[in-house]
Amino acid sequence: MPAYNSRARRRLAAATLLAVTVSLTTQACAAGHSPSSTAPEAPPAAATAAPAPAAPFTAAPPLNGPNDNTPKPAADEDRDIVKTASLTLTAVDTTAAADKATAIVTDAGGRVDSRSEDAGSSSGRAHVALVLRVPVAKLDKTLTDIKGLGTVNTLEIKADDVTNQRVDLDARITALQTSVDRLLGIMRDAKDPDALIKAENALSQRQADLDSLRAQRAHLGEQIAFSTLNLDVYAENFGGPIKQYHGFFGQVERGWDGMVGFASGAVMLFGLLLPWLAALALAGGVGYAAIRLLTRRH
C-alpha cells in the first residue's frame, strides 16, 4: 500500500509540472503578439523622415544639340556665291586702257567674253565696253589692278547665294540618273516587245531631262567659279579720232568738210543768238512805239 501511494504522488507531481509549463508557454506567446505590448514602437516614417532635397535645375539641351535632327545651315565656306562686279573708268586712251585690262584678266586665268568700241564724235566720248570673266579667288586683286588704269567713276559688286539652287539641281540629277539606270535594267530584262517600246520612250524623255539638268548645273558651276566683271572705259573729252586727208581729192574733201563745219557753226551761232535777237526786237518795237506816241503829243 505505501508503494502504491508513492507512485501515485509521483504521477500527480509530473502532471502538475506539465500543466504549469504549458500555461507559461501560452502566456509568453500571447504577450509577444499582444498589441498592448510594452516593446518600444518605431516612430512613423512619414513623421520622422527628413524632407528630400530639391533636385538641382538643369537647363534643357539646345535645339541644335547632338540629338537634334533639325537640318543645319551650311557653313560659310560651303556656300555657293555668284559674284558680279561693274566698274566704270575714265582714261586718256580708252583703247590702251582696255588692252591693259584684258592682259590683267588673262594673266589672272580669266577670259574676255565680249568687247565693243565706240570711237566717239563731236557730241560723244570714245567708249570701250568689256565683259570679263575672272576666277572668283582673284577678283579683288584684279579689280585693284584695273582701277589703276584710270579714274574710277563707279564700282559695284553684287553677291548672290545660289546654294539652294545648286543643291536642288544635284538632287534632281541624282534622281533622274537612278531612274535612267532602272529603265536600262528593265530594257535589258524585258521580253515583251510592248514593254520594251514603252521603256525606250520613257528612257528617251528621262535622258533628255537629265542632259538639260546637267547643262544647267555646268553653267551654274561656271558662274560660281568665274565672276563676271562689266568694265566700261570712257575718254576724258568729247571728239573722235582725227580724220586724215591725202592727195588732191583729200584736200577737196577737207575743204568741203570745212565749209560744212562753218555752216554748221553759223547755224549753231544763230540758234545761240536767236533769243537775244528776239528780245532786242521786242525792246526796239516798244521804244519805237513810245517815241511815235511822244512825237504826236508834241
PDB file of all heavy atoms in Angstrom, residues 177-208:
ATOM      1  N   GLN A 177      19.170  60.149-112.775  1.00  0.00           N
ATOM      2  CA  GLN A 177      20.154  59.139-113.127  1.00  0.00           C
ATOM      3  C   GLN A 177      19.738  57.765-112.612  1.00  0.00           C
ATOM      4  O   GLN A 177      19.879  56.752-113.300  1.00  0.00           O
ATOM      5  CB  GLN A 177      21.521  59.526-112.554  1.00  0.00           C
ATOM      6  CG  GLN A 177      22.644  58.571-112.958  1.00  0.00           C
ATOM      7  CD  GLN A 177      22.858  58.542-114.457  1.00  0.00           C
ATOM      8  OE1 GLN A 177      23.158  59.561-115.053  1.00  0.00           O
ATOM      9  NE2 GLN A 177      22.724  57.373-115.061  1.00  0.00           N
ATOM     10  N   THR A 178      19.182  57.734-111.388  1.00  0.00           N
ATOM     11  CA  THR A 178      18.673  56.472-110.842  1.00  0.00           C
ATOM     12  C   THR A 178      17.531  55.932-111.690  1.00  0.00           C
ATOM     13  O   THR A 178      17.453  54.729-111.969  1.00  0.00           O
ATOM     14  CB  THR A 178      18.209  56.683-109.397  1.00  0.00           C
ATOM     15  OG1 THR A 178      19.305  57.191-108.617  1.00  0.00           O
ATOM     16  CG2 THR A 178      17.721  55.374-108.792  1.00  0.00           C
ATOM     17  N   SER A 179      16.642  56.825-112.128  1.00  0.00           N
ATOM     18  CA  SER A 179      15.528  56.401-112.973  1.00  0.00           C
ATOM     19  C   SER A 179      16.022  55.871-114.319  1.00  0.00           C
ATOM     20  O   SER A 179      15.511  54.861-114.826  1.00  0.00           O
ATOM     21  CB  SER A 179      14.567  57.572-113.185  1.00  0.00           C
ATOM     22  OG  SER A 179      13.500  57.209-114.038  1.00  0.00           O
ATOM     23  N   VAL A 180      17.013  56.534-114.910  1.00  0.00           N
ATOM     24  CA  VAL A 180      17.567  56.068-116.186  1.00  0.00           C
ATOM     25  C   VAL A 180      18.202  54.689-116.028  1.00  0.00           C
ATOM     26  O   VAL A 180      18.008  53.792-116.860  1.00  0.00           O
ATOM     27  CB  VAL A 180      18.584  57.100-116.716  1.00  0.00           C
ATOM     28  CG1 VAL A 180      19.393  56.514-117.872  1.00  0.00           C
ATOM     29  CG2 VAL A 180      17.877  58.355-117.173  1.00  0.00           C
ATOM     30  N   ASP A 181      18.952  54.503-114.944  1.00  0.00           N
ATOM     31  CA  ASP A 181      19.570  53.192-114.708  1.00  0.00           C
ATOM     32  C   ASP A 181      18.511  52.108-114.539  1.00  0.00           C
ATOM     33  O   ASP A 181      18.677  50.973-115.022  1.00  0.00           O
ATOM     34  CB  ASP A 181      20.463  53.252-113.471  1.00  0.00           C
ATOM     35  CG  ASP A 181      21.658  54.172-113.678  1.00  0.00           C
ATOM     36  OD1 ASP A 181      22.004  54.452-114.854  1.00  0.00           O
ATOM     37  OD2 ASP A 181      22.237  54.624-112.669  1.00  0.00           O
ATOM     38  N   ARG A 182      17.415  52.446-113.842  1.00  0.00           N
ATOM     39  CA  ARG A 182      16.350  51.466-113.653  1.00  0.00           C
ATOM     40  C   ARG A 182      15.697  51.103-114.983  1.00  0.00           C
ATOM     41  O   ARG A 182      15.403  49.925-115.252  1.00  0.00           O
ATOM     42  CB  ARG A 182      15.308  52.010-112.679  1.00  0.00           C
ATOM     43  CG  ARG A 182      14.261  50.991-112.275  1.00  0.00           C
ATOM     44  CD  ARG A 182      13.227  51.579-111.347  1.00  0.00           C
ATOM     45  NE  ARG A 182      13.837  52.089-110.129  1.00  0.00           N
ATOM     46  CZ  ARG A 182      13.892  53.356-109.804  1.00  0.00           C
ATOM     47  NH1 ARG A 182      13.385  54.279-110.622  1.00  0.00           N
ATOM     48  NH2 ARG A 182      14.453  53.736-108.683  1.00  0.00           N
ATOM     49  N   LEU A 183      15.468  52.112-115.830  1.00  0.00           N
ATOM     50  CA  LEU A 183      14.867  51.836-117.142  1.00  0.00           C
ATOM     51  C   LEU A 183      15.804  50.998-118.011  1.00  0.00           C
ATOM     52  O   LEU A 183      15.350  50.130-118.769  1.00  0.00           O
ATOM     53  CB  LEU A 183      14.527  53.153-117.839  1.00  0.00           C
ATOM     54  CG  LEU A 183      13.316  53.911-117.285  1.00  0.00           C
ATOM     55  CD1 LEU A 183      13.191  55.272-117.945  1.00  0.00           C
ATOM     56  CD2 LEU A 183      12.032  53.109-117.515  1.00  0.00           C
ATOM     57  N   LEU A 184      17.096  51.241-117.928  1.00  0.00           N
ATOM     58  CA  LEU A 184      18.043  50.416-118.677  1.00  0.00           C
ATOM     59  C   LEU A 184      17.990  48.961-118.229  1.00  0.00           C
ATOM     60  O   LEU A 184      18.079  48.042-119.058  1.00  0.00           O
ATOM     61  CB  LEU A 184      19.461  50.981-118.505  1.00  0.00           C
ATOM     62  CG  LEU A 184      19.749  52.309-119.216  1.00  0.00           C
ATOM     63  CD1 LEU A 184      21.139  52.823-118.848  1.00  0.00           C
ATOM     64  CD2 LEU A 184      19.635  52.154-120.726  1.00  0.00           C
ATOM     65  N   GLY A 185      17.837  48.768-116.906  1.00  0.00           N
ATOM     66  CA  GLY A 185      17.701  47.401-116.410  1.00  0.00           C
ATOM     67  C   GLY A 185      16.426  46.734-116.896  1.00  0.00           C
ATOM     68  O   GLY A 185      16.410  45.551-117.236  1.00  0.00           O
ATOM     69  N   ILE A 186      15.335  47.514-116.940  1.00  0.00           N
ATOM     70  CA  ILE A 186      14.071  46.966-117.446  1.00  0.00           C
ATOM     71  C   ILE A 186      14.205  46.583-118.910  1.00  0.00           C
ATOM     72  O   ILE A 186      13.732  45.513-119.342  1.00  0.00           O
ATOM     73  CB  ILE A 186      12.937  47.988-117.234  1.00  0.00           C
ATOM     74  CG1 ILE A 186      12.659  48.178-115.743  1.00  0.00           C
ATOM     75  CG2 ILE A 186      11.665  47.548-117.961  1.00  0.00           C
ATOM     76  CD1 ILE A 186      11.653  49.274-115.445  1.00  0.00           C
ATOM     77  N   MET A 187      14.850  47.434-119.702  1.00  0.00           N
ATOM     78  CA  MET A 187      15.027  47.124-121.116  1.00  0.00           C
ATOM     79  C   MET A 187      15.926  45.906-121.313  1.00  0.00           C
ATOM     80  O   MET A 187      15.722  45.103-122.235  1.00  0.00           O
ATOM     81  CB  MET A 187      15.631  48.338-121.829  1.00  0.00           C
ATOM     82  CG  MET A 187      14.702  49.537-121.920  1.00  0.00           C
ATOM     83  SD  MET A 187      15.520  50.978-122.645  1.00  0.00           S
ATOM     84  CE  MET A 187      15.964  50.324-124.250  1.00  0.00           C
ATOM     85  N   ARG A 188      16.899  45.749-120.457  1.00  0.00           N
ATOM     86  CA  ARG A 188      17.806  44.611-120.585  1.00  0.00           C
ATOM     87  C   ARG A 188      17.105  43.286-120.293  1.00  0.00           C
ATOM     88  O   ARG A 188      17.408  42.256-120.901  1.00  0.00           O
ATOM     89  CB  ARG A 188      18.990  44.819-119.635  1.00  0.00           C
ATOM     90  CG  ARG A 188      20.078  43.774-119.776  1.00  0.00           C
ATOM     91  CD  ARG A 188      21.323  44.166-119.002  1.00  0.00           C
ATOM     92  NE  ARG A 188      21.023  44.540-117.620  1.00  0.00           N
ATOM     93  CZ  ARG A 188      21.101  45.779-117.163  1.00  0.00           C
ATOM     94  NH1 ARG A 188      21.444  46.775-117.982  1.00  0.00           N
ATOM     95  NH2 ARG A 188      20.835  46.048-115.896  1.00  0.00           N
ATOM     96  N   ASP A 189      16.148  43.322-119.347  1.00  0.00           N
ATOM     97  CA  ASP A 189      15.458  42.092-118.954  1.00  0.00           C
ATOM     98  C   ASP A 189      14.107  41.925-119.622  1.00  0.00           C
ATOM     99  O   ASP A 189      13.423  40.919-119.376  1.00  0.00           O
ATOM    100  CB  ASP A 189      15.272  42.069-117.428  1.00  0.00           C
ATOM    101  CG  ASP A 189      16.614  42.138-116.697  1.00  0.00           C
ATOM    102  OD1 ASP A 189      17.625  41.709-117.291  1.00  0.00           O
ATOM    103  OD2 ASP A 189      16.642  42.620-115.547  1.00  0.00           O
ATOM    104  N   ALA A 190      13.676  42.910-120.418  1.00  0.00           N
ATOM    105  CA  ALA A 190      12.328  42.846-121.000  1.00  0.00           C
ATOM    106  C   ALA A 190      12.262  41.779-122.082  1.00  0.00           C
ATOM    107  O   ALA A 190      13.178  41.627-122.890  1.00  0.00           O
ATOM    108  CB  ALA A 190      11.950  44.211-121.572  1.00  0.00           C
ATOM    109  N   LYS A 191      11.159  41.054-122.077  1.00  0.00           N
ATOM    110  CA  LYS A 191      10.903  40.032-123.088  1.00  0.00           C
ATOM    111  C   LYS A 191       9.660  40.365-123.913  1.00  0.00           C
ATOM    112  O   LYS A 191       9.463  39.784-124.976  1.00  0.00           O
ATOM    113  CB  LYS A 191      10.728  38.668-122.432  1.00  0.00           C
ATOM    114  CG  LYS A 191      11.973  38.199-121.686  1.00  0.00           C
ATOM    115  CD  LYS A 191      11.757  36.848-121.037  1.00  0.00           C
ATOM    116  CE  LYS A 191      13.020  36.383-120.292  1.00  0.00           C
ATOM    117  NZ  LYS A 191      12.819  35.070-119.643  1.00  0.00           N
ATOM    118  N   ASP A 192       8.843  41.304-123.403  1.00  0.00           N
ATOM    119  CA  ASP A 192       7.638  41.719-124.114  1.00  0.00           C
ATOM    120  C   ASP A 192       7.975  42.912-125.002  1.00  0.00           C
ATOM    121  O   ASP A 192       8.498  43.925-124.518  1.00  0.00           O
ATOM    122  CB  ASP A 192       6.546  42.081-123.102  1.00  0.00           C
ATOM    123  CG  ASP A 192       5.232  42.427-123.795  1.00  0.00           C
ATOM    124  OD1 ASP A 192       5.147  42.259-125.023  1.00  0.00           O
ATOM    125  OD2 ASP A 192       4.297  42.866-123.099  1.00  0.00           O
ATOM    126  N   PRO A 193       7.709  42.841-126.311  1.00  0.00           N
ATOM    127  CA  PRO A 193       8.031  43.974-127.200  1.00  0.00           C
ATOM    128  C   PRO A 193       7.326  45.257-126.797  1.00  0.00           C
ATOM    129  O   PRO A 193       7.911  46.343-126.877  1.00  0.00           O
ATOM    130  CB  PRO A 193       7.573  43.480-128.576  1.00  0.00           C
ATOM    131  CG  PRO A 193       7.598  41.989-128.483  1.00  0.00           C
ATOM    132  CD  PRO A 193       7.227  41.675-127.074  1.00  0.00           C
ATOM    133  N   ASP A 194       6.074  45.171-126.349  1.00  0.00           N
ATOM    134  CA  ASP A 194       5.354  46.375-125.939  1.00  0.00           C
ATOM    135  C   ASP A 194       6.020  47.032-124.726  1.00  0.00           C
ATOM    136  O   ASP A 194       6.175  48.260-124.666  1.00  0.00           O
ATOM    137  CB  ASP A 194       3.900  46.027-125.615  1.00  0.00           C
ATOM    138  CG  ASP A 194       3.126  45.603-126.858  1.00  0.00           C
ATOM    139  OD1 ASP A 194       3.562  45.978-127.967  1.00  0.00           O
ATOM    140  OD2 ASP A 194       2.117  44.905-126.711  1.00  0.00           O
ATOM    141  N   ALA A 195       6.398  46.223-123.761  1.00  0.00           N
ATOM    142  CA  ALA A 195       7.078  46.761-122.584  1.00  0.00           C
ATOM    143  C   ALA A 195       8.416  47.377-122.960  1.00  0.00           C
ATOM    144  O   ALA A 195       8.826  48.411-122.415  1.00  0.00           O
ATOM    145  CB  ALA A 195       7.268  45.664-121.535  1.00  0.00           C
ATOM    146  N   LEU A 196       9.097  46.771-123.933  1.00  0.00           N
ATOM    147  CA  LEU A 196      10.381  47.306-124.361  1.00  0.00           C
ATOM    148  C   LEU A 196      10.215  48.664-125.043  1.00  0.00           C
ATOM    149  O   LEU A 196      10.993  49.596-124.806  1.00  0.00           O
ATOM    150  CB  LEU A 196      11.046  46.318-125.319  1.00  0.00           C
ATOM    151  CG  LEU A 196      12.432  46.706-125.840  1.00  0.00           C
ATOM    152  CD1 LEU A 196      13.413  46.870-124.698  1.00  0.00           C
ATOM    153  CD2 LEU A 196      12.935  45.664-126.831  1.00  0.00           C
ATOM    154  N   ILE A 197       9.177  48.812-125.868  1.00  0.00           N
ATOM    155  CA  ILE A 197       8.927  50.091-126.554  1.00  0.00           C
ATOM    156  C   ILE A 197       8.575  51.183-125.543  1.00  0.00           C
ATOM    157  O   ILE A 197       9.062  52.319-125.631  1.00  0.00           O
ATOM    158  CB  ILE A 197       7.804  49.912-127.595  1.00  0.00           C
ATOM    159  CG1 ILE A 197       8.284  49.003-128.734  1.00  0.00           C
ATOM    160  CG2 ILE A 197       7.372  51.265-128.150  1.00  0.00           C
ATOM    161  CD1 ILE A 197       7.212  48.659-129.730  1.00  0.00           C
ATOM    162  N   LYS A 198       7.731  50.854-124.563  1.00  0.00           N
ATOM    163  CA  LYS A 198       7.368  51.833-123.541  1.00  0.00           C
ATOM    164  C   LYS A 198       8.600  52.264-122.734  1.00  0.00           C
ATOM    165  O   LYS A 198       8.775  53.445-122.416  1.00  0.00           O
ATOM    166  CB  LYS A 198       6.305  51.258-122.615  1.00  0.00           C
ATOM    167  CG  LYS A 198       4.950  51.045-123.290  1.00  0.00           C
ATOM    168  CD  LYS A 198       3.949  50.477-122.297  1.00  0.00           C
ATOM    169  CE  LYS A 198       2.580  50.266-122.971  1.00  0.00           C
ATOM    170  NZ  LYS A 198       1.581  49.682-122.018  1.00  0.00           N
ATOM    171  N   ALA A 199       9.444  51.294-122.424  1.00  0.00           N
ATOM    172  CA  ALA A 199      10.652  51.624-121.659  1.00  0.00           C
ATOM    173  C   ALA A 199      11.585  52.516-122.478  1.00  0.00           C
ATOM    174  O   ALA A 199      12.208  53.444-121.949  1.00  0.00           O
ATOM    175  CB  ALA A 199      11.366  50.344-121.238  1.00  0.00           C
ATOM    176  N   GLU A 200      11.692  52.267-123.783  1.00  0.00           N
ATOM    177  CA  GLU A 200      12.540  53.105-124.634  1.00  0.00           C
ATOM    178  C   GLU A 200      12.017  54.539-124.715  1.00  0.00           C
ATOM    179  O   GLU A 200      12.799  55.503-124.659  1.00  0.00           O
ATOM    180  CB  GLU A 200      12.615  52.492-126.037  1.00  0.00           C
ATOM    181  CG  GLU A 200      13.471  51.237-126.112  1.00  0.00           C
ATOM    182  CD  GLU A 200      13.506  50.664-127.517  1.00  0.00           C
ATOM    183  OE1 GLU A 200      12.692  51.131-128.351  1.00  0.00           O
ATOM    184  OE2 GLU A 200      14.329  49.779-127.771  1.00  0.00           O
ATOM    185  N   ASN A 201      10.699  54.697-124.848  1.00  0.00           N
ATOM    186  CA  ASN A 201      10.119  56.046-124.890  1.00  0.00           C
ATOM    187  C   ASN A 201      10.361  56.791-123.579  1.00  0.00           C
ATOM    188  O   ASN A 201      10.716  57.977-123.578  1.00  0.00           O
ATOM    189  CB  ASN A 201       8.625  55.953-125.184  1.00  0.00           C
ATOM    190  CG  ASN A 201       8.344  55.423-126.581  1.00  0.00           C
ATOM    191  OD1 ASN A 201       9.169  55.560-127.488  1.00  0.00           O
ATOM    192  ND2 ASN A 201       7.181  54.809-126.770  1.00  0.00           N
ATOM    193  N   ALA A 202      10.122  56.081-122.471  1.00  0.00           N
ATOM    194  CA  ALA A 202      10.355  56.729-121.176  1.00  0.00           C
ATOM    195  C   ALA A 202      11.826  57.067-120.992  1.00  0.00           C
ATOM    196  O   ALA A 202      12.177  58.124-120.454  1.00  0.00           O
ATOM    197  CB  ALA A 202       9.872  55.811-120.048  1.00  0.00           C
ATOM    198  N   LEU A 203      12.712  56.195-121.463  1.00  0.00           N
ATOM    199  CA  LEU A 203      14.148  56.448-121.328  1.00  0.00           C
ATOM    200  C   LEU A 203      14.574  57.671-122.139  1.00  0.00           C
ATOM    201  O   LEU A 203      15.395  58.466-121.684  1.00  0.00           O
ATOM    202  CB  LEU A 203      14.930  55.212-121.775  1.00  0.00           C
ATOM    203  CG  LEU A 203      16.454  55.334-121.730  1.00  0.00           C
ATOM    204  CD1 LEU A 203      16.925  55.594-120.306  1.00  0.00           C
ATOM    205  CD2 LEU A 203      17.109  54.078-122.299  1.00  0.00           C
ATOM    206  N   SER A 204      14.013  57.829-123.339  1.00  0.00           N
ATOM    207  CA  SER A 204      14.362  58.990-124.167  1.00  0.00           C
ATOM    208  C   SER A 204      13.993  60.286-123.463  1.00  0.00           C
ATOM    209  O   SER A 204      14.774  61.248-123.444  1.00  0.00           O
ATOM    210  CB  SER A 204      13.657  58.891-125.517  1.00  0.00           C
ATOM    211  OG  SER A 204      14.060  57.724-126.214  1.00  0.00           O
ATOM    212  N   GLN A 205      12.800  60.348-122.865  1.00  0.00           N
ATOM    213  CA  GLN A 205      12.368  61.555-122.156  1.00  0.00           C
ATOM    214  C   GLN A 205      13.229  61.822-120.929  1.00  0.00           C
ATOM    215  O   GLN A 205      13.658  62.952-120.674  1.00  0.00           O
ATOM    216  CB  GLN A 205      10.892  61.423-121.761  1.00  0.00           C
ATOM    217  CG  GLN A 205      10.333  62.645-121.064  1.00  0.00           C
ATOM    218  CD  GLN A 205      10.372  63.878-121.941  1.00  0.00           C
ATOM    219  OE1 GLN A 205      10.086  63.805-123.141  1.00  0.00           O
ATOM    220  NE2 GLN A 205      10.725  65.019-121.370  1.00  0.00           N
ATOM    221  N   ARG A 206      13.487  60.760-120.153  1.00  0.00           N
ATOM    222  CA  ARG A 206      14.299  60.941-118.943  1.00  0.00           C
ATOM    223  C   ARG A 206      15.725  61.354-119.297  1.00  0.00           C
ATOM    224  O   ARG A 206      16.322  62.181-118.594  1.00  0.00           O
ATOM    225  CB  ARG A 206      14.321  59.632-118.146  1.00  0.00           C
ATOM    226  CG  ARG A 206      12.956  59.137-117.714  1.00  0.00           C
ATOM    227  CD  ARG A 206      12.353  59.958-116.604  1.00  0.00           C
ATOM    228  NE  ARG A 206      10.988  59.554-116.323  1.00  0.00           N
ATOM    229  CZ  ARG A 206      10.639  58.521-115.567  1.00  0.00           C
ATOM    230  NH1 ARG A 206      11.593  57.781-114.998  1.00  0.00           N
ATOM    231  NH2 ARG A 206       9.375  58.224-115.364  1.00  0.00           N
ATOM    232  N   GLN A 207      16.276  60.797-120.365  1.00  0.00           N
ATOM    233  CA  GLN A 207      17.640  61.141-120.747  1.00  0.00           C
ATOM    234  C   GLN A 207      17.716  62.596-121.203  1.00  0.00           C
ATOM    235  O   GLN A 207      18.695  63.302-120.916  1.00  0.00           O
ATOM    236  CB  GLN A 207      18.114  60.210-121.862  1.00  0.00           C
ATOM    237  CG  GLN A 207      19.590  60.351-122.185  1.00  0.00           C
ATOM    238  CD  GLN A 207      20.492  59.961-121.032  1.00  0.00           C
ATOM    239  OE1 GLN A 207      20.298  58.911-120.426  1.00  0.00           O
ATOM    240  NE2 GLN A 207      21.460  60.809-120.713  1.00  0.00           N
ATOM    241  N   ALA A 208      16.690  63.067-121.933  1.00  0.00           N
ATOM    242  CA  ALA A 208      16.672  64.473-122.356  1.00  0.00           C
ATOM    243  C   ALA A 208      16.593  65.399-121.146  1.00  0.00           C
ATOM    244  O   ALA A 208      17.294  66.422-121.080  1.00  0.00           O
ATOM    245  CB  ALA A 208      15.491  64.721-123.291  1.00  0.00           C
TER     246      ALA A 208
END
